[in-house]
Amino acid sequence: MIKQHTHDYRDINFRTFTVSVSLLGVTAATASNYSVFFTAHRPCELIRIVESHQAPGTGAGAVTLDIFKLTGTQDPDTGGVSMLASTFNLKSTANTIVEGTLTTTRRDRILAKNNRITLKDSGTLSSVGGLNVVLEFLLLDNI
């Protein structure tokens, strides 16, 4: 006999999923490695994001990470809109989980089917190592 499990998809526990992206070791110190890492398969909303890195940046000036939403044919290097209210500081303490602050503009957190997400860096990435970002999404029904 086969047991069938059913889920009430109105329950938020069955409507969320996570996406993780990692730049292992010294790959995090190379700007060209910061690129598109997710394409939405259906409408969803970013509801939480955390970041950590094993080695902080040492370059002069600010060294930051942003998360951008791309629609249509927007170029990852020049297009899109930030999904964050403030960027992650890649010079912060190593091996520390940092909770990101999401933009208050909800439409900038919502992805339609086939929208993409890219990592955007700024500053000199010298010494940044072992970057990991985890994003949590809520599936949406009617957009």
Side-chain angles (χ1 to χ4, degrees), residues 69-129:
K69 169 180 134 177
L70 302 171
T71 61
T73 59
Q74 289 180 315
D75 183 275
D77 294 323
T78 59
V81 61
S82 179
M83 300 178 84
L84 302 177
S86 58
T87 58
F88 289 107
N89 177 4
L90 296 182
K91 293 176 92 172
S92 64
T93 305
N95 301 311
T96 302
I97 304 295
V98 178
E99 183 92 26
T101 304
L102 301 176
T103 178
T104 57
T105 306
R106 187 169 184 239
R107 73 174 172 269
D108 293 343
R109 297 189 318 263
I110 293 177
L111 300 175
K113 183 178 180 179
N114 295 325
N115 285 172
R116 299 165 292 146
I117 298 179
T118 188
L119 300 173
K120 282 204 180 181
D121 63 278
S122 71
T124 303
L125 297 168
S126 302
S127 302
V128 175

Side-chain angles (χ1 to χ4, degrees), residues 46-82:
L46 179 62
I47 58 172
R48 182 172 184 257
I49 185 169
V50 295
E51 178 274 339
S52 67
H53 49 271
Q54 292 177 324
T58 58
V63 181
T64 63
L65 172 69
D66 207 339
I67 307 296
F68 267 58
K69 169 180 134 177
L70 302 171
T71 61
T73 59
Q74 289 180 315
D75 183 275
D77 294 323
T78 59
V81 61
S82 179

